[in-house]
Amino acid sequence: MEANTLYPKIYNLSNLILAWREARKGKTRKAYVVEFEPNLLENLLKLQEELKNQTYRPEPLKTFILRDPKTRKISKSAFCDRIIHHALVRLIEPIFDKGFIYGSCANRKGKGNLFAIKRFELFKRKVTNNLKTEAFCLKADIKHYFDEVKHEVLIKIIRRKISDEKVIWLIKQILNNLPVAIGGDGAFYKKGMPLGNLTSQFFANVYLHELDYFVKHKLKAKYYIRYVDDFVILHKNKEQLGIWKQEINDFLKSELKLELHPEKSKIVSLSRGIDFVGFRNFYYYKSLRKRNMEKILIKINQSEKGEICYEKLMESFHGWKAYAKWADSYKLIREIERNFRLKYATK
């Protein structure tokens, strides 16, 4: 992309309007959306002026703890900042996405966790000669991934495709909306991306595309799938996976300043079942992970306490049911549906 031609497209009013529409999807009743929209044009023109003059500064993040049931720290951007995130990603995502590997499954159009699980099924059959022979899986997780992404490394990667310095400036404004970290040596440095931001999801793929390229083109691993910071490699030879595991960890440390999670990165036989994208995948069937079963039970409990409305509960249930159907979970779904009928028969 030529220098100085991309940035004006980001703050173009038509792009900001499209970004606003994307940012409000599914949130039209939220107070912050309702407050923003009576003066919609005025607010968008204000954002446009701030971007044009490079006076834009994100508002402080609002951080809260989410337990679903895994405990995660979510940092929420102000609605006006989320419009900026969409405006940026709308323009730069196509530049990067066309270079991503096919097996990068998270936060990409036409892909997702069900795409990842179908690909896992395909690879499982190929590597086991249609389930006739034994094979192994390197199931790996990157340690504290979102907290450890180094801004300097990410910007260096982005500069390979983006030469417009004003776009780089905007990206830095978004990345720097976090406290500066202090290292063990007492030095200040910038790292981390907040969970919950659209830009964080996109930059996560940009950063780990370096790993994808290394695994696919340097190691030449044929059966590789990545979903955010979780990835699997299937192979007939357990020793080969052990060699690749060490080479991957060395690459992560030297090039991306990351490392594999020592407890969560293991080589196991496919016959033992592999935890991946919410399912435990065995040779002939797959089951829901306990955490995913607990999610809907938590929603039901919240509804009983009056913390969420019946409509919100049903929305969550139908989404969970569509997901759960991909596992061998017929009896579980029927049991939960039966409990629904008993508790909400009068609704």
Side-chain angles (χ1 to χ4, degrees):
M1 181 66 66
E2 293 182 9
N4 305 320
T5 62
L6 181 59
Y7 190 67
K9 295 177 182 178
I10 293 172
Y11 65 73
N12 182 280
L13 186 58
S14 62
N15 187 50
L16 290 176
I17 291 171
L18 290 170
W20 157 72
R21 287 176 178 168
E22 290 172 359
R24 75 193 290 272
K25 279 180 183 176
K27 301 175 178 67
T28 53
R29 296 183 182 179
K30 296 287 186 180
Y32 53 79
V33 176
V34 174
E35 291 170 9
F36 188 88
E37 295 187 351
N39 301 308
L40 176 62
L41 183 58
E42 180 183 336
N43 288 331
L44 291 179
L45 288 173
K46 180 175 181 290
L47 288 177
Q48 183 186 50
E49 194 68 16
E50 289 177 357
L51 290 173
K52 187 175 181 179
N53 297 330
Q54 291 184 274
T55 57
Y56 167 71
R57 299 292 183 275
E59 294 184 19
L61 296 165
K62 292 183 179 179
T63 300
F64 59 95
I65 303 299
L66 181 66
R67 295 178 176 86
D68 66 338
K70 183 180 178 180
T71 301
R72 296 179 293 162
K73 185 171 78 171
I74 306 295
S75 295
K76 195 174 182 180
S77 293
F79 183 62
C80 58
D81 294 323
R82 279 182 258 171
I83 293 173
I84 301 294
H85 298 171
H86 279 277
L88 171 67
V89 172
R90 287 192 78 258
L91 269 295
I92 68 172
E93 184 176 37
I95 297 171
F96 288 90
D97 189 80
K98 61 186 178 184
F100 290 162
I101 68 165
Y102 193 68
S104 170
C105 301
N107 307 309
R108 296 180 67 195
K109 292 175 183 177
K111 300 200 174 178
N113 49 17
L114 296 182
F115 176 89
I117 209 65
K118 288 179 184 178
R119 196 150 179 82
F120 185 91
E121 288 287 323
L122 174 66
F123 286 174
K124 180 179 70 175
R125 289 189 172 275
K126 285 187 173 183
V127 78
T128 60
N129 191 24
N130 206 22
L131 308 180
K132 294 175 183 175
T133 58
E134 185 180 29
F136 300 88
C137 178
L138 167 58
K139 169 65 175 70
D141 179 282
I142 296 173
K143 186 178 180 181
H144 303 151
Y145 176 52
F146 278 87
D147 292 334
E148 293 298 328
V149 167
K150 306 301 186 293
H151 295 184
E152 182 181 355
V153 176
L154 176 59
I155 292 295
K156 183 179 177 181
I157 294 168
I158 290 172
R159 283 188 187 277
R160 294 177 196 161
K161 293 188 179 292
I162 303 291
S163 58
D164 189 328
E165 284 300 319
K166 289 185 178 180
V167 177
I168 300 297
W169 169 83
L170 178 57
I171 291 169
K172 287 181 177 179
Q173 292 299 311
I174 294 168
L175 288 174
N176 291 344
N177 197 25
L178 277 174
V180 176
I182 304 175
D185 56 0
F188 291 92
Y189 58 98
K190 296 174 181 178
K191 69 172 186 175
M193 299 188 299
L195 278 173
N197 273 5
L198 172 71
T199 47
S200 298
Q201 297 169 11
F202 170 66
F203 292 145
N205 277 337
V206 172
Y207 205 81
L208 286 184
H209 174 65
E210 305 299 300
L211 171 65
D212 297 341
Y213 187 88
F214 176 75
V215 173
K216 292 295 291 183
H217 297 284
K218 300 295 183 180
L219 301 183
K220 299 192 182 301
K222 193 173 182 181
Y223 303 123
Y224 167 75
I225 313 166
R226 180 177 62 80
Y227 191 90
V228 194
D229 59 326
D230 289 338
F231 65 88
V232 292
I233 306 177
L234 282 62
H235 201 278
K236 295 179 183 294
N237 190 301
K238 186 177 182 180
E239 286 69 32
Q240 180 63 72
L241 289 175
I243 294 169
W244 282 347
K245 180 183 176 184
Q246 185 59 54
E247 290 180 319
I248 287 169
N249 207 30
D250 292 343
F251 172 82
L252 288 171
K253 288 180 178 179
S254 63
E255 300 299 323
L256 299 179
K257 314 305 177 189
L258 301 169
E259 61 180 306
L260 294 178
H261 197 295
E263 284 83 38
K264 296 180 180 179
S265 302
K266 299 177 181 178
I267 300 168
V268 295
S269 171
L270 286 171
S271 62
R272 290 181 55 190
I274 308 299
D275 282 339
F276 188 50
V277 291
F279 299 98
R280 189 160 178 81
N281 301 272
F282 295 90
Y283 263 43
Y284 302 104
Y285 70 97
K286 53 183 171 286
S287 60
L288 280 175
R289 292 177 64 186
K290 182 181 178 182
R291 193 170 77 199
N292 283 35
M293 289 187 281
E294 289 173 350
K295 278 186 178 182
I296 191 60
L297 299 178
I298 288 172
K299 291 294 183 183
I300 293 171
N301 188 47
Q302 288 175 332
S303 176
E304 290 174 347
K305 291 180 179 179
E307 295 175 1
I308 61 173
C309 64
Y310 174 75
E311 289 74 17
K312 187 69 176 177
L313 171 63
M314 292 308 298
E315 180 184 331
S316 296
F317 173 69
H318 289 306
W320 175 85
K321 181 180 175 182
Y323 183 77
K325 280 182 176 178
W326 286 88
D328 295 273
S329 55
Y330 177 77
K331 289 183 179 179
L332 172 66
I333 293 172
R334 287 293 301 272
E335 178 63 21
I336 291 178
E337 285 183 324
R338 189 180 69 84
N339 288 335
F340 261 90
R341 287 195 294 271
L342 292 174
K343 289 181 180 179
Y344 300 104
T346 59
K347 293 285 184 180

Short mmCIF file of all heavy atoms in Angstrom, two decimals, residues 24-62:
data_model
loop_
_atom_site.label_atom_id
_atom_site.label_comp_id
_atom_site.label_asym_id
_atom_site.label_seq_id
_atom_site.Cartn_x
_atom_site.Cartn_y
_atom_site.Cartn_z
N ARG A 24 -22.53 -1.19 16.22
CA ARG A 24 -23.80 -1.20 16.96
C ARG A 24 -24.57 -2.51 16.79
O ARG A 24 -25.59 -2.72 17.46
CB ARG A 24 -24.68 -0.02 16.52
CG ARG A 24 -25.32 -0.22 15.15
CD ARG A 24 -25.91 1.08 14.62
NE ARG A 24 -27.08 1.50 15.34
CZ ARG A 24 -28.34 1.14 15.05
NH1 ARG A 24 -28.57 0.28 14.06
NH2 ARG A 24 -29.35 1.60 15.74
N LYS A 25 -24.12 -3.40 15.90
CA LYS A 25 -24.84 -4.64 15.66
C LYS A 25 -25.04 -5.44 16.96
O LYS A 25 -24.08 -5.71 17.69
CB LYS A 25 -24.09 -5.52 14.65
CG LYS A 25 -24.31 -5.10 13.20
CD LYS A 25 -23.55 -6.00 12.25
CE LYS A 25 -23.72 -5.55 10.81
NZ LYS A 25 -22.90 -6.38 9.88
N GLY A 26 -26.29 -5.80 17.23
CA GLY A 26 -26.60 -6.57 18.43
C GLY A 26 -26.55 -5.76 19.71
O GLY A 26 -26.71 -6.32 20.80
N LYS A 27 -26.36 -4.44 19.60
CA LYS A 27 -26.22 -3.60 20.81
C LYS A 27 -27.08 -2.35 20.73
O LYS A 27 -26.81 -1.37 21.42
CB LYS A 27 -24.75 -3.22 21.01
CG LYS A 27 -23.81 -4.41 21.15
CD LYS A 27 -22.36 -3.96 21.22
CE LYS A 27 -21.43 -5.15 21.42
NZ LYS A 27 -21.41 -6.03 20.26
N THR A 28 -28.11 -2.38 19.89
CA THR A 28 -28.89 -1.16 19.64
C THR A 28 -29.63 -0.66 20.88
O THR A 28 -30.00 0.51 20.93
CB THR A 28 -29.91 -1.40 18.51
OG1 THR A 28 -30.70 -2.56 18.82
CG2 THR A 28 -29.19 -1.63 17.19
N ARG A 29 -29.85 -1.54 21.87
CA ARG A 29 -30.56 -1.12 23.08
C ARG A 29 -29.61 -0.70 24.21
O ARG A 29 -30.07 -0.26 25.27
CB ARG A 29 -31.47 -2.25 23.57
CG ARG A 29 -32.60 -2.60 22.60
CD ARG A 29 -33.49 -3.67 23.17
NE ARG A 29 -34.56 -4.05 22.24
CZ ARG A 29 -35.47 -4.97 22.49
NH1 ARG A 29 -35.45 -5.63 23.66
NH2 ARG A 29 -36.40 -5.27 21.60
N LYS A 30 -28.33 -0.87 23.99
CA LYS A 30 -27.36 -0.48 25.01
C LYS A 30 -27.39 1.03 25.22
O LYS A 30 -27.53 1.80 24.26
CB LYS A 30 -25.95 -0.91 24.61
CG LYS A 30 -25.77 -2.42 24.51
CD LYS A 30 -25.74 -3.06 25.89
CE LYS A 30 -25.40 -4.55 25.80
NZ LYS A 30 -25.37 -5.20 27.11
N ALA A 31 -27.21 1.45 26.47
CA ALA A 31 -27.30 2.88 26.80
C ALA A 31 -26.29 3.71 26.03
O ALA A 31 -26.60 4.81 25.56
CB ALA A 31 -27.11 3.07 28.31
N TYR A 32 -25.07 3.17 25.88
CA TYR A 32 -24.04 3.96 25.20
C TYR A 32 -24.35 4.15 23.71
O TYR A 32 -23.94 5.16 23.12
CB TYR A 32 -22.65 3.34 25.40
CG TYR A 32 -22.53 1.88 25.04
CD1 TYR A 32 -22.40 1.46 23.72
CD2 TYR A 32 -22.52 0.90 26.04
CE1 TYR A 32 -22.28 0.12 23.39
CE2 TYR A 32 -22.39 -0.45 25.72
CZ TYR A 32 -22.28 -0.83 24.39
OH TYR A 32 -22.16 -2.17 24.07
N VAL A 33 -25.06 3.20 23.10
CA VAL A 33 -25.46 3.35 21.70
C VAL A 33 -26.61 4.35 21.60
O VAL A 33 -26.62 5.24 20.74
CB VAL A 33 -25.87 1.99 21.09
CG1 VAL A 33 -26.38 2.17 19.66
CG2 VAL A 33 -24.70 1.02 21.13
N VAL A 34 -27.59 4.22 22.50
CA VAL A 34 -28.74 5.12 22.52
C VAL A 34 -28.29 6.57 22.74
O VAL A 34 -28.83 7.50 22.11
CB VAL A 34 -29.74 4.70 23.63
CG1 VAL A 34 -30.87 5.71 23.77
CG2 VAL A 34 -30.31 3.32 23.32
N GLU A 35 -27.29 6.79 23.58
CA GLU A 35 -26.78 8.13 23.85
C GLU A 35 -26.02 8.71 22.67
O GLU A 35 -26.01 9.93 22.45
CB GLU A 35 -25.87 8.10 25.09
CG GLU A 35 -26.60 7.83 26.39
CD GLU A 35 -25.65 7.57 27.55
OE1 GLU A 35 -24.42 7.77 27.36
OE2 GLU A 35 -26.13 7.18 28.63
N PHE A 36 -25.37 7.86 21.90
CA PHE A 36 -24.53 8.31 20.79
C PHE A 36 -25.35 8.75 19.58
O PHE A 36 -24.97 9.67 18.85
CB PHE A 36 -23.58 7.17 20.38
CG PHE A 36 -22.52 7.55 19.38
CD1 PHE A 36 -21.31 8.07 19.79
CD2 PHE A 36 -22.75 7.38 18.01
CE1 PHE A 36 -20.33 8.41 18.88
CE2 PHE A 36 -21.78 7.73 17.08
CZ PHE A 36 -20.56 8.24 17.52
N GLU A 37 -26.51 8.12 19.39
CA GLU A 37 -27.20 8.24 18.10
C GLU A 37 -28.08 9.46 17.89
O GLU A 37 -28.31 9.85 16.74
CB GLU A 37 -27.97 6.94 17.83
CG GLU A 37 -26.99 5.79 17.67
CD GLU A 37 -27.63 4.48 17.24
OE1 GLU A 37 -28.88 4.42 17.22
OE2 GLU A 37 -26.89 3.55 16.90
N PRO A 38 -28.61 10.13 18.92
CA PRO A 38 -29.39 11.34 18.64
C PRO A 38 -28.58 12.41 17.89
O PRO A 38 -29.13 13.17 17.09
CB PRO A 38 -29.79 11.81 20.03
CG PRO A 38 -29.83 10.58 20.85
CD PRO A 38 -28.70 9.75 20.33
N ASN A 39 -27.27 12.47 18.18
CA ASN A 39 -26.38 13.42 17.49
C ASN A 39 -25.37 12.65 16.65
O ASN A 39 -24.17 12.92 16.69
CB ASN A 39 -25.65 14.31 18.50
CG ASN A 39 -26.62 15.12 19.35
OD1 ASN A 39 -27.50 15.79 18.83
ND2 ASN A 39 -26.48 15.02 20.66
N LEU A 40 -25.88 11.68 15.89
CA LEU A 40 -25.01 10.76 15.16
C LEU A 40 -24.05 11.47 14.22
O LEU A 40 -22.83 11.26 14.29
CB LEU A 40 -25.86 9.77 14.36
CG LEU A 40 -25.10 8.79 13.47
CD1 LEU A 40 -24.19 7.91 14.31
CD2 LEU A 40 -26.07 7.94 12.65
N LEU A 41 -24.55 12.30 13.34
CA LEU A 41 -23.69 12.96 12.36
C LEU A 41 -22.67 13.85 13.05
O LEU A 41 -21.49 13.85 12.67
CB LEU A 41 -24.54 13.79 11.38
CG LEU A 41 -23.76 14.47 10.26
CD1 LEU A 41 -22.99 13.43 9.43
CD2 LEU A 41 -24.70 15.27 9.37
N GLU A 42 -23.10 14.58 14.04
CA GLU A 42 -22.19 15.46 14.78
C GLU A 42 -21.07 14.64 15.44
O GLU A 42 -19.90 15.03 15.40
CB GLU A 42 -22.98 16.23 15.84
CG GLU A 42 -22.14 17.17 16.68
CD GLU A 42 -22.95 17.85 17.77
OE1 GLU A 42 -24.20 17.97 17.62
OE2 GLU A 42 -22.35 18.26 18.79
N ASN A 43 -21.44 13.51 16.04
CA ASN A 43 -20.44 12.67 16.71
C ASN A 43 -19.46 12.04 15.72
O ASN A 43 -18.26 11.95 15.99
CB ASN A 43 -21.14 11.57 17.52
CG ASN A 43 -21.83 12.11 18.75
OD1 ASN A 43 -21.40 13.11 19.32
ND2 ASN A 43 -22.91 11.45 19.17
N LEU A 44 -19.97 11.61 14.57
CA LEU A 44 -19.09 11.02 13.55
C LEU A 44 -18.16 12.08 12.95
O LEU A 44 -16.98 11.80 12.69
CB LEU A 44 -19.91 10.34 12.46
CG LEU A 44 -20.68 9.08 12.86
CD1 LEU A 44 -21.46 8.53 11.67
CD2 LEU A 44 -19.74 8.00 13.42
N LEU A 45 -18.69 13.27 12.74
CA LEU A 45 -17.85 14.36 12.21
C LEU A 45 -16.76 14.74 13.21
O LEU A 45 -15.64 15.11 12.81
CB LEU A 45 -18.71 15.57 11.86
CG LEU A 45 -19.59 15.40 10.61
CD1 LEU A 45 -20.53 16.60 10.45
CD2 LEU A 45 -18.74 15.23 9.35
N LYS A 46 -17.09 14.66 14.50
CA LYS A 46 -16.09 14.95 15.54
C LYS A 46 -14.97 13.91 15.49
O LYS A 46 -13.78 14.25 15.56
CB LYS A 46 -16.75 14.95 16.91
CG LYS A 46 -15.82 15.23 18.08
CD LYS A 46 -16.61 15.32 19.38
CE LYS A 46 -15.69 15.63 20.56
NZ LYS A 46 -14.80 14.52 20.91
N LEU A 47 -15.34 12.62 15.36
CA LEU A 47 -14.33 11.57 15.23
C LEU A 47 -13.50 11.78 13.96
O LEU A 47 -12.27 11.61 13.98
CB LEU A 47 -15.00 10.19 15.17
CG LEU A 47 -15.60 9.64 16.47
CD1 LEU A 47 -16.27 8.30 16.21
CD2 LEU A 47 -14.53 9.49 17.54
N GLN A 48 -14.17 12.15 12.88
CA GLN A 48 -13.46 12.39 11.62
C GLN A 48 -12.43 13.50 11.78
O GLN A 48 -11.28 13.38 11.32
CB GLN A 48 -14.46 12.76 10.52
CG GLN A 48 -13.80 12.96 9.16
CD GLN A 48 -14.79 13.46 8.13
OE1 GLN A 48 -15.51 14.43 8.37
NE2 GLN A 48 -14.81 12.81 6.97
N GLU A 49 -12.83 14.58 12.45
CA GLU A 49 -11.92 15.71 12.64
C GLU A 49 -10.72 15.32 13.51
O GLU A 49 -9.58 15.71 13.23
CB GLU A 49 -12.68 16.87 13.28
CG GLU A 49 -11.97 18.21 13.24
CD GLU A 49 -11.85 18.77 11.84
OE1 GLU A 49 -12.56 18.30 10.92
OE2 GLU A 49 -11.02 19.69 11.64
N GLU A 50 -10.97 14.53 14.56
CA GLU A 50 -9.88 14.09 15.45
C GLU A 50 -8.90 13.20 14.70
O GLU A 50 -7.68 13.30 14.89
CB GLU A 50 -10.47 13.34 16.65
CG GLU A 50 -11.20 14.25 17.63
CD GLU A 50 -11.82 13.47 18.77
OE1 GLU A 50 -11.73 12.22 18.75
OE2 GLU A 50 -12.40 14.10 19.67
N LEU A 51 -9.42 12.33 13.85
CA LEU A 51 -8.54 11.46 13.06
C LEU A 51 -7.76 12.27 12.03
O LEU A 51 -6.55 12.09 11.86
CB LEU A 51 -9.36 10.37 12.37
CG LEU A 51 -9.96 9.28 13.26
CD1 LEU A 51 -10.88 8.37 12.45
CD2 LEU A 51 -8.86 8.45 13.93
N LYS A 52 -8.45 13.16 11.36
CA LYS A 52 -7.82 13.97 10.32
C LYS A 52 -6.68 14.81 10.87
O LYS A 52 -5.60 14.91 10.27
CB LYS A 52 -8.87 14.86 9.66
CG LYS A 52 -8.38 15.63 8.45
CD LYS A 52 -9.54 16.40 7.80
CE LYS A 52 -9.05 17.15 6.57
NZ LYS A 52 -10.19 17.88 5.93
N ASN A 53 -6.91 15.40 12.04
CA ASN A 53 -5.90 16.27 12.66
C ASN A 53 -4.94 15.51 13.57
O ASN A 53 -4.05 16.13 14.17
CB ASN A 53 -6.59 17.38 13.46
CG ASN A 53 -7.42 18.29 12.60
OD1 ASN A 53 -7.11 18.49 11.42
ND2 ASN A 53 -8.50 18.83 13.15
N GLN A 54 -5.15 14.21 13.70
CA GLN A 54 -4.35 13.35 14.57
C GLN A 54 -4.35 13.84 16.03
O GLN A 54 -3.35 13.79 16.74
CB GLN A 54 -2.90 13.24 14.06
CG GLN A 54 -2.80 12.45 12.75
CD GLN A 54 -1.37 12.26 12.29
OE1 GLN A 54 -0.82 13.12 11.61
NE2 GLN A 54 -0.77 11.14 12.67
N THR A 55 -5.52 14.29 16.45
CA THR A 55 -5.72 14.66 17.86
C THR A 55 -6.50 13.58 18.60
O THR A 55 -6.80 13.72 19.79
CB THR A 55 -6.48 15.99 17.97
OG1 THR A 55 -7.74 15.88 17.28
CG2 THR A 55 -5.66 17.12 17.36
N TYR A 56 -6.83 12.49 17.91
CA TYR A 56 -7.62 11.41 18.50
C TYR A 56 -6.85 10.73 19.63
O TYR A 56 -5.68 10.37 19.49
CB TYR A 56 -7.98 10.38 17.43
CG TYR A 56 -8.51 9.07 18.00
CD1 TYR A 56 -9.77 9.00 18.59
CD2 TYR A 56 -7.74 7.91 17.96
CE1 TYR A 56 -10.26 7.82 19.11
CE2 TYR A 56 -8.21 6.71 18.48
CZ TYR A 56 -9.47 6.67 19.06
OH TYR A 56 -9.94 5.50 19.59
N ARG A 57 -7.52 10.57 20.76
CA ARG A 57 -6.98 9.82 21.89
C ARG A 57 -8.09 8.91 22.43
O ARG A 57 -9.17 9.39 22.76
CB ARG A 57 -6.50 10.75 23.02
CG ARG A 57 -5.39 11.71 22.63
CD ARG A 57 -4.08 10.98 22.34
NE ARG A 57 -3.00 11.92 22.05
CZ ARG A 57 -2.75 12.45 20.85
NH1 ARG A 57 -3.52 12.13 19.82
NH2 ARG A 57 -1.76 13.29 20.67
N PRO A 58 -7.86 7.61 22.52
CA PRO A 58 -8.90 6.71 23.04
C PRO A 58 -9.23 7.02 24.49
O PRO A 58 -8.38 7.49 25.25
CB PRO A 58 -8.25 5.32 22.93
CG PRO A 58 -7.07 5.50 22.02
CD PRO A 58 -6.62 6.91 22.17
N GLU A 59 -10.47 6.77 24.86
CA GLU A 59 -10.88 6.91 26.25
C GLU A 59 -10.33 5.73 27.06
O GLU A 59 -10.07 4.66 26.50
CB GLU A 59 -12.41 6.96 26.35
CG GLU A 59 -13.02 8.20 25.71
CD GLU A 59 -14.52 8.27 25.91
OE1 GLU A 59 -15.03 7.58 26.83
OE2 GLU A 59 -15.17 9.00 25.15
N PRO A 60 -10.14 5.90 28.37
CA PRO A 60 -9.61 4.80 29.19
C PRO A 60 -10.50 3.56 29.09
O PRO A 60 -11.72 3.65 29.00
CB PRO A 60 -9.63 5.38 30.62
CG PRO A 60 -9.58 6.86 30.42
CD PRO A 60 -10.34 7.13 29.15
N LEU A 61 -9.87 2.40 29.09
CA LEU A 61 -10.61 1.14 29.02
C LEU A 61 -11.35 0.87 30.33
O LEU A 61 -10.87 1.22 31.41
CB LEU A 61 -9.64 -0.01 28.75
CG LEU A 61 -8.89 0.01 27.42
CD1 LEU A 61 -7.73 -0.97 27.46
CD2 LEU A 61 -9.82 -0.30 26.27
N LYS A 62 -12.51 0.24 30.21
CA LYS A 62 -13.24 -0.23 31.39
C LYS A 62 -13.01 -1.72 31.51
O LYS A 62 -13.35 -2.48 30.60
CB LYS A 62 -14.73 0.09 31.25
CG LYS A 62 -15.04 1.58 31.30
CD LYS A 62 -16.53 1.84 31.23
CE LYS A 62 -16.83 3.32 31.30
NZ LYS A 62 -18.29 3.60 31.20
#
